[in-house]
Amino acid sequence: MISSKLSRAYRFSARMPKLIAAGLVLVLSGCTVNPIYHTTGVVLSSYSESEATPYVMQMTDTKMACALGEGIDPLLYSFSRVVDAPDTTGSLLMLLAGNCMEYRAWDAELDYLRHDYSGNVPAAKDAREVSKRLYAQTAARRYESFRRAMAAYDFDPAAEPMECPFLFTDQDEITFLAGLLTGMQAIVNDANSGAMAGVPRNIAPQAERAAQCVDNEKWGGLPNAVRALVWLLLPDTRPALSPDPWVVLENSADLGVKAGFRTSHALQIVAAETFGRPDVLADAIADFAAAEEGFEVLEDYVLLDEVARTVVTFSSDKHWTKNYGHRTPTRFFGKMSPKRDTSNIETMSLDGLL
């Protein structure tokens, strides 16, 4: 009996250093992770995903939405120091913040074109440099948005073989898809900056594969539009017997109109600009303007259509500023020249007045 008690006492004393160490870990962790911060982080992440994101998706004011991304992202994502990183909402916030930076880059590019049109070379060169720097910041933000979207669904876009992520809700699907699109935009923006942001080009074929994880018709042709853009960027990624990328983009634009948000249409116009197809550009802008009449936007994704409208308007403004020195007059949206269309104007007969 005595020897048994001595044995238990010996084992207890042997465990003491480990118990003390474990206690110290708990105490220290309690000091570094404030329980209020932890709770606040969990509540904020949950609220942002369940309430704020659907609300923002229904907004019509693209400038206010992008300001939200710039203002809230540092606060929300700072909670990744005390809880799991809120990558789902974080990817959308960084997407919006990227839009803000792109709007500034657009203004600088229009300044460049306006100065170039009027022959003011120093001002044109300065504006051009400003736009390149802003495009670099846009690319960096959009690459971060892509990275967060992939992390949000534990998806490794480089894995072989590829396994599609579990996307349980429509919000999951559109967040994942928006992440892929944003990654492609990051590559285009980086090209506009002169590769200052260093966005890795290998995310393009990864996005092309991952786009097949989302239903094409349900999401207005956007998955196939992303794939077609990659085929234009990297022709080697185009599968054998696949249709011409420009045909795919045209079909995707039509599906976008039917789905109620014209994001695919905007992507078609970006592709036409990027790859030098003025014929496609003119037709796509005209089609977008024509679709305004009778178009019913999908209530849950109004913001997507409004962002698409800003992209198309900028493309039109760029054409008009380059060729005429000013932005598109409102009544000429959809046209590529200021020539008046007189084909439908009735001529008043003066015979009866004489």
Side-chain angles (χ1 to χ4, degrees), residues 204-223:
Q206 296 170 3
E208 195 273 340
R209 292 196 314 161
Q212 299 174 65
C213 296
V214 188
D215 185 86
N216 185 57
E217 291 202 13
K218 177 181 178 181
W219 295 108
L222 191 53

Side-chain angles (χ1 to χ4, degrees), residues 337-349:
S337 83
K339 290 182 180 177
R340 295 184 63 193
D341 182 2
T342 58
S343 59
N344 294 323
I345 296 178
E346 294 184 2
T347 303
M348 181 183 292
S349 173

Side-chain angles (χ1 to χ4, degrees), residues 29 31-42 45 75-86:
S29 64
C31 292
T32 55
V33 181
N34 187 310
I36 294 177
Y37 295 167
H38 184 276
T39 303
T40 304
V42 171
S45 297
L75 171 65
L76 182 69
Y77 218 73
S78 69
F79 283 98
S80 62
R81 294 164 63 95
V82 294
V83 296
D84 290 340

Side-chain angles (χ1 to χ4, degrees), residues 159-173:
E160 291 289 353
M162 183 190 74
E163 292 186 10
C164 288
F166 292 105
L167 304 171
F168 297 102
T169 65
D170 285 354
Q171 188 167 309
D172 286 334
E173 291 185 22

